[in-house]
Amino acid sequence: MNVHEYQAKELFRSYGVAVPEGRLATTPAEAEEAAKRLGTAVTVVKAQVHAGGRGKGGGVKLAKSPAEAKQHASEILGMTLVTHQTGPEGKLVRKVYVEAGSDIARELYLALTLDRATEDFAIIASTEGGMDIEEVAEKTPEKIHTEFIDPNVGLQGYQVRKIAAALGLDKGQAGKLDVFLKGLFRLFLEKDASLVEINPLVVTGGGDLFALDGKLNFDDNALFRHPEIAELRDPDEEDPRERAANEIDLAYVGLDGDIGCMVNGAGLAMATLDMIAVCGGSPANFLDAGGGADTEKVKEAFKLILQDEKVKAILVNIFGGIVRCDLIAEGVVAAADELGVGVPLVVRLQGTNAPEGRQILAESDLDITPAETLQEAGEKAVAAARGA
Amino acid sequence: MAILADKNTKLLVQGMGRMGQFHAGLSVEYGTQVVAGVHPGKGGTKIEGIPIFETVQQAVAETGANASVVFVPPPGAADAILEAVDAGLDLTCCITEGIPAIDMAKAKRAMKGSHTRLVGPNCPGVVTPEQCRIGIMPAQITRPGPVGVVSRSGTLTYEAVDQLSRLGIGQSTCVGIGGDPVIGTTFVDALALFEADPETQAVVMIGEIGGSAEEEAALFVQEKMSKPVVAFIAGQNAPPGKRMGHAGAIIAGGKGRASDKMAALEAAGVAVSPSPATIGQTLAEHAPHLKS
């Protein structure tokens, strides 16, 4: 789960991780008031959307007076911000964060995550702040310092000193980095974060350290023990269908094609997208109905798929292990009856109780194209979407 | 022979809730020796004829269990894994989906140096055809034979096994290693076991997007494997930045793409099936002597 910059910074602050002072605004007047209250000569008005690259897209602007902050806010609020992370459709800006301007001497990079290869936590630090870190990693890997942290030992003082040395910090700054990193590490552990990224981490002219930007992701699997984090979810930032799927325990990802998919199991669901592509078609979605798929789930899944107007055909691909194909078939029939599926339906049932399931489909008065193998299912779905 | 589990495996079930009971029953039906269940609060009772204990240690002392399957819900699953380790089991398979990543990172590190092998979490388990079923796989689609199957996915494993069985090619052992970012047994571990197993003559590995386990497997195949390996990588059409069902199936920061994994495997001499429908066929072509 992703949160906004202003939410990340509130959490940073509560863990002693230094951030500039800032206030949230949802109207230009609030932005003006926020700038007045901050009282600094310069403020920065920042669009709050779940995407990086906001500055380049025109979502971050410097204001030299409260009136100018108001003016910027009026331009940014309500704009559709397009960055390399939003996709071409962009994201509607509903909130801005007005922040005290910083006296920036240096811009550094800092991230903390769980490294899958070593299964350690990893702090990634670089002197090249404010840049695209993937590009830095590719072109100048020597400018990236990675410190691995044993999950059962935790961050040690010598590791902070190594990072400070790699970043070229002086003694006073290194002491501030110690407080900063230990706070960040505690936040990561206590709140089950999956990624903290601070780009840039700034060193001010006075030698202070600040998180000028903050990206914070949380482990969805751990939200059950952090209701206060789950509350930070911003439904406006999520695809409405993905959110609806989430609420009924289905994994759904919207795609650009025209063949709706309903599959049990994540691996088979991904493979079904691949199968459609191999057959020359294009999937409209990924949908994993899960191991516990039953009649009700199937109906809900159909509703979701049918909300997508691009869908010209639906492919149901079930390999019954735990899931019984006869129950899936009943769900398909019930859903089609109730919802009036107006597009061709290709159904492949294999595994547990598949013959019974196929019989239920055959005996219904629905126009269903059965398929035996994965290949046949892909071919028939692609043909159906083309109107063949 | 086989890997991980055979007819001598004595299985205990950690978490005898609805799902644990259901699958314990199916494993018994398949002929697996299910010797005990562990369910705090129900010790001293019997469920479906299986004696229930308060702790894994008690169950091991009373029944000689040497392997466990974990159905404990996410908040207590890492604890259950460590309890299996503490009791000195040879094998523990964790089926539970949704364990916090930090819990698993800590548990996995704590297991270092222990004698217990962990399979999973978020996996379908292990089946050695006609000998032992641990977990939730539909064992009826397997048949005994010379091909080892290792996969990060559940249902896609069934698909691959089904394709093999339909071609008359049986399996030595089918292992689901799980779809989470931190797992016990990796592709490399499973490949090493299959390489050392005299009954396994070829391996099918089913990978997916996310992480670098397939690339590490490619390196292992190139340097250490003498047996033919066939692979399929799911998620060739998955968009970057989206979690595709499994917690570990995500292309992040330009890393973990299917195309990179396929290229690494091909460069290592692995026959990569371009389509999920031709996994069995690719194996049959790559190891023609195995078709019965």
Side-chain angles (χ1 to χ4, degrees):
Chain A
M1 191 192 95
N2 212 339
V3 297
H4 286 292
E5 176 198 1
Y6 75 91
Q7 295 167 322
K9 285 182 168 170
E10 273 167 28
L11 281 162
F12 287 174
R13 204 174 279 127
S14 69
Y15 276 85
V17 176
V19 291
E21 232 189 299
R23 287 166 179 273
L24 190 68
T26 54
T27 65
E30 279 176 25
E32 185 181 27
E33 178 63 20
K36 264 186 207 157
R37 288 190 172 225
L38 288 170
T40 47
V42 174
T43 55
V44 188
V45 183
K46 304 167 97 174
Q48 297 296 294
V49 293
H50 288 185
R54 290 168 298 163
K56 278 182 199 155
V60 178
K61 286 185 173 160
L62 216 67
K64 293 196 174 102
S65 68
E68 204 184 340
K70 182 182 182 183
Q71 176 60 32
H72 288 329
S74 71
E75 288 159 19
I76 294 172
L77 285 166
M79 82 184 283
T80 300
L81 185 58
V82 179
T83 83
H84 66 286
Q85 288 185 0
T86 59
E89 69 280 8
K91 281 197 162 169
L92 180 65
V93 182
R94 294 178 169 88
K95 299 169 207 168
V96 293
Y97 193 52
V98 184
E99 200 168 62
S102 302
D103 157 30
I104 301 171
R106 293 181 68 204
E107 295 191 34
L108 310 171
Y109 174 93
L110 207 57
L112 171 54
T113 188
L114 173 63
D115 180 62
R116 287 174 67 165
T118 60
E119 293 166 348
D120 280 317
F121 300 129
I123 292 180
I124 300 144
S126 174
T127 50
E128 308 303 292
M131 320 261 292
D132 176 2
I133 198 68
E134 282 154 34
E135 215 177 298
V136 177
E138 199 170 304
K139 290 184 181 154
T140 49
E142 72 281 2
K143 289 186 175 163
I144 291 189
H145 177 87
T146 305
E147 196 63 34
F148 294 103
I149 302 156
D150 185 309
N152 288 337
V153 176
L155 179 64
Q156 301 298 302
Y158 77 88
Q159 296 182 303
V160 177
R161 294 195 294 278
K162 279 169 78 183
I163 295 164
L167 293 176
L169 300 181
D170 67 28
K171 198 179 164 206
Q173 292 161 0
K176 284 171 183 156
L177 184 71
D178 191 75
V179 175
F180 191 99
L181 275 181
K182 284 182 176 160
L184 213 55
F185 188 72
R186 212 157 48 81
L187 163 63
F188 188 89
L189 276 188
E190 287 181 9
K191 301 292 184 192
D192 281 286
S194 53
L195 172 72
V196 186
E197 190 179 41
I198 295 169
N199 191 17
L201 164 72
V202 302
V203 183
T204 67
D208 281 326
L209 258 55
F210 277 123
L212 197 58
D213 197 0
K215 181 179 175 179
L216 194 46
N217 290 352
F218 295 94
D219 180 0
D220 292 325
N221 286 350
L223 289 176
F224 70 86
R225 58 190 177 199
H226 304 295
E228 76 291 358
I229 299 294
E231 260 177 33
L232 302 179
R233 189 181 283 277
D234 182 350
D236 288 336
E237 290 291 327
E238 294 171 355
D239 178 300
R241 283 194 302 271
E242 287 176 24
R243 193 175 65 239
N246 209 330
E247 277 163 16
I248 49 171
D249 239 7
L250 295 172
Y252 176 98
V253 176
L255 302 168
D256 297 331
D258 55 11
I259 299 174
C261 299
M262 193 190 93
V263 189
N264 67 321
L268 189 59
M270 278 188 270
T272 303
L273 310 183
D274 296 338
M275 191 72 246
I276 289 169
V278 167
C279 294
S282 180
N285 65 276
F286 165 96
L287 194 158
D288 170 11
D294 55 15
T295 309
E296 199 50 39
K297 272 246 167 100
V298 171
K299 213 158 51 180
E300 293 296 330
F302 264 96
K303 275 189 202 161
L304 265 172
I305 293 169
L306 289 168
Q307 277 171 26
D308 184 346
E309 285 165 6
K310 301 191 302 291
V311 169
K312 289 194 194 136
I314 295 177
L315 171 57
V316 177
N317 182 20
I318 302 294
F319 205 114
I322 315 318
V323 172
R324 279 169 48 191
C325 290
D326 52 334
L327 293 183
I328 298 284
E330 280 171 13
V332 169
V333 172
D337 268 347
E338 199 181 308
L339 306 168
V341 179
V343 296
L345 193 53
V346 178
V347 181
R348 182 222 183 193
L349 299 174
Q350 273 299 349
T352 310
N353 292 6
E356 290 87 339
R358 288 185 209 126
Q359 198 177 344
I360 291 168
L361 295 180
E363 283 169 0
S364 76
D365 42 15
L366 295 166
D367 185 15
I368 291 172
T369 309
E372 173 82 15
T373 63
L374 188 50
Q375 179 79 33
E376 198 187 326
E379 282 167 2
K380 286 184 169 172
V382 172
R386 285 185 184 148
Chain B
M1 286 270 300
I3 69 165
L4 300 170
D6 59 24
K7 58 184 188 304
N8 298 316
T9 300
K10 289 185 171 179
L11 184 66
L12 80 81
V13 179
Q14 292 178 259
M16 283 291 271
R18 195 181 55 85
M19 191 156 163
Q21 287 180 36
F22 176 71
H23 287 288
L26 290 182
S27 288
V28 169
E29 246 174 63
Y30 193 67
T32 311
Q33 298 187 56
V34 181
V35 298
V38 171
H39 200 105
K42 289 189 185 166
T45 65
K46 278 194 171 188
I47 298 176
E48 309 269 334
I50 301 166
I52 307 299
F53 299 87
E54 284 295 303
T55 69
V56 175
Q57 192 182 34
Q58 285 170 358
V60 170
E62 295 287 327
T63 67
N66 64 350
S68 80
V69 57
V70 176
F71 287 105
V72 175
D79 178 79
I81 291 168
L82 290 173
E83 186 180 359
V85 174
D86 172 72
L89 296 178
D90 299 327
L91 174 72
T92 180
C93 288
C94 184
I95 309 304
T96 312
E97 176 171 10
I99 304 177
I102 289 181
D103 288 6
M104 269 319 298
K106 289 182 170 178
K108 175 103 187 272
R109 188 56 49 97
M111 288 180 72
K112 215 173 171 181
S114 86
H115 140 97
T116 307
R117 169 175 294 285
L118 169 67
V119 173
N122 190 10
C123 82
V126 176
V127 170
T128 293
E130 293 181 0
Q131 295 195 47
C132 184
R133 173 188 185 270
I134 301 175
I136 60 172
M137 279 198 229
Q140 70 277 9
I141 60 167
T142 67
R143 52 181 281 174
V147 177
V149 177
V150 55
S151 169
R152 278 169 72 184
S153 144
T155 45
L156 187 52
T157 314
Y158 315 159
E159 174 69 40
V161 167
D162 189 55
Q163 287 179 23
L164 290 171
S165 292
R166 278 166 190 258
L167 289 168
I169 304 170
Q171 303 89 41
S172 54
T173 300
C174 305
V175 188
I177 59 173
D180 273 1
V182 178
I183 53 174
T185 297
T186 62
F187 277 127
V188 169
D189 298 330
L191 288 170
L193 292 170
F194 281 130
E195 174 71 11
D197 173 36
E199 275 186 13
T200 300
Q201 295 176 43
V203 180
V204 169
M205 85 171 244
I206 315 270
E208 63 191 33
I209 55 164
S212 57
E214 290 80 3
E215 284 86 342
E216 287 152 26
L219 201 64
F220 181 83
V221 170
Q222 193 160 26
E223 291 176 352
K224 304 271 171 66
M225 290 280 292
S226 64
K227 298 174 183 178
V229 179
V230 166
F232 173 73
I233 306 296
Q236 296 166 41
N237 295 279
K242 293 279 186 184
R243 168 172 148 171
M244 304 298 276
H246 287 156
I250 181 165
I251 300 168
K255 291 199 182 108
R257 280 189 290 251
S259 52
D260 296 340
K261 293 172 185 293
M262 293 164 78
L265 288 162
E266 268 167 2
V270 173
V272 180
S273 174
S275 155
T278 52
I279 301 168
Q281 194 187 318
T282 306
L283 188 277
E285 284 163 11
H286 199 57
H289 59 289
L290 298 183
K291 211 170 156 182
S292 61

